């Protein structure tokens, strides 16, 4: 049974057209993360939530926003996608932000035309 | 700055043994993870080391030397399904997870 679910698996959008990616979890974990991963590169942390506390990485562009309406769901909003935002977006969860294992969803591959 | 170094790509033969190395320079250390990532899929957890030494888990083992800033992942009895990228990630003193770019492992028959 899937524990971290991401929808859609593939998303195509147009340059500048807002897009929302979704993530849900059945693990009841406190922490949810959003990563961006480009081909053959390390995952890049965009931000994470510890419960309702939002933690933005210093180098995450303002174009990327997130919402966590409840424990189970977290959304990634890209307000004006550029060609450089085409990537795999990974959602992950963990019980705390310390040394706990992160559990990843299958990812959403975003294409920007 | 913080840095994780892994070889970009390695090739090995089915049934053989391969060792994937990871060296790190980070501000503090609170553990090291290895994740497996098949092409187009999400990373999945393999191992976590925080103390020096070897941790064995079936065909996979992970070694850590904190004094040398070094870890390796050892894969035995390689199978074709082991073809994947292997990501090393270190937890720093701020409990941030610092990721390496991964080692792409190609298994040949």
């Amino acid at each position: 049974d899937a524990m971290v679910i991401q929808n859609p698996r593939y998303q195509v959008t147009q340059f500048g057209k807002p897009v929302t990616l979704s993530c849900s979890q059945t693990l009841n974990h406190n922490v949810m993360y959003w990563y961006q991963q480009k081909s053959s590169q390390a995952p890049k942390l965009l931000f994470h939530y510890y419960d309702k506390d939002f933690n933005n990485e210093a180098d995450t562009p303002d174009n990327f926003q997130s919402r966590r309406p409840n424990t189970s769901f977290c959304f990634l909003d890209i307000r004006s996608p550029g060609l450089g935002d085409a990537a795999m977006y990974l959602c992950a969860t963990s019980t705390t932000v310390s040394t706990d294992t992160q559990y990843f969803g299958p990812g959403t591959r975003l294409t920007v035309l | 700055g913080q840095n994780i170094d892994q070889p970009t790509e390695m090739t090995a033969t089915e049934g053989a043994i391969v060792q994937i190395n990871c060296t790190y320079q980070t501000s503090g250390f609170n553990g090291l993870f290895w994740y497996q990532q098949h092409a187009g899929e999400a990373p999945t957890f393999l191992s976590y080391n925080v103390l020096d030494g070897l941790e064995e888990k079936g065909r996979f083992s992970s070694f850590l030397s904190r004094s040398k800033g070094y870890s390796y992942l050892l894969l035995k009895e390689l199978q074709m399904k082991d073809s994947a990228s292997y990501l090393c990630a270190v937890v720093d003193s701020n409990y941030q997870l610092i990721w390496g770019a991964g080692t792409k492992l190609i298994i040949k028959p």
Side-chain angles (χ1 to χ4, degrees):
Chain A
D1 291 333
M3 296 180 290
V4 183
I5 302 161
Q6 290 188 245
N7 285 305
R9 295 290 309 276
Y10 299 90
Q11 175 74 58
V12 180
T13 191
Q14 292 182 335
F15 183 93
K17 183 175 181 181
V19 66
T20 295
L21 310 182
S22 72
C23 176
S24 62
Q25 55 133 340
T26 60
L27 297 164
N28 205 33
H29 282 171
N30 293 319
V31 191
M32 295 187 78
Y33 308 81
W34 279 105
Y35 288 91
Q36 179 193 67
Q37 187 179 28
K38 298 186 177 181
S39 182
S40 302
Q41 295 184 19
K44 179 182 181 302
L45 182 64
L46 297 174
F47 24 60
H48 73 272
Y49 275 93
Y50 190 106
D51 290 333
K52 295 182 179 180
D53 293 334
F54 177 70
N55 297 271
N56 197 32
E57 293 299 301
D59 57 354
T60 298
D62 292 339
N63 196 27
F64 292 87
Q65 303 286 318
S66 186
R67 296 169 283 137
R68 189 178 186 186
N70 53 53
T71 301
S72 301
F73 286 87
C74 196
F75 300 97
L76 170 62
D77 300 308
I78 309 177
R79 294 193 296 189
S80 182
L83 298 179
D85 297 328
M88 175 75 89
Y89 289 89
L90 297 166
C91 174
T93 73
S94 66
T95 54
T96 72
V97 293
S98 62
T99 56
D100 288 328
T101 301
Q102 293 186 20
Y103 295 87
F104 286 83
T108 295
R109 181 163 296 284
L110 178 68
T111 300
V112 181
L113 300 178
Chain B
Q2 313 221 73
N3 197 45
I4 309 281
D5 285 315
Q6 306 179 234
T8 303
E9 188 174 294
M10 299 182 69
T11 302
T13 304
E14 189 176 17
I17 298 173
V18 70
Q19 178 175 310
I20 302 174
N21 296 324
C22 170
T23 58
Y24 60 89
Q25 300 89 38
T26 57
S27 56
F29 179 84
N30 281 299
L32 184 146
F33 287 91
W34 283 97
Y35 280 82
Q36 180 191 59
Q37 186 175 27
H38 285 99
E41 298 182 12
T44 55
F45 170 79
L46 288 177
S47 67
Y48 172 70
N49 294 66
V50 67
L51 299 177
D52 291 348
L54 187 68
E55 298 261 352
E56 297 187 73
K57 193 186 293 186
R59 292 190 299 115
F60 292 13
S61 302
S62 56
F63 172 83
L64 175 67
S65 169
R66 289 171 295 171
S67 62
K68 295 182 179 178
Y70 168 68
S71 173
Y72 67 72
L73 182 68
L74 190 71
L75 291 74
K76 303 176 185 176
E77 302 169 16
L78 285 170
Q79 302 175 9
M80 297 303 293
K81 68 178 181 180
D82 298 330
S83 293
S85 287
Y86 292 86
L87 298 157
C88 173
V90 172
V91 184
D92 72 6
S93 57
N94 293 319
Y95 293 100
Q96 299 268 34
L97 193 59
I98 313 299
W99 292 85
T103 298
K104 182 178 180 181
L105 178 63
I106 299 168
I107 311 294
K108 295 186 175 179

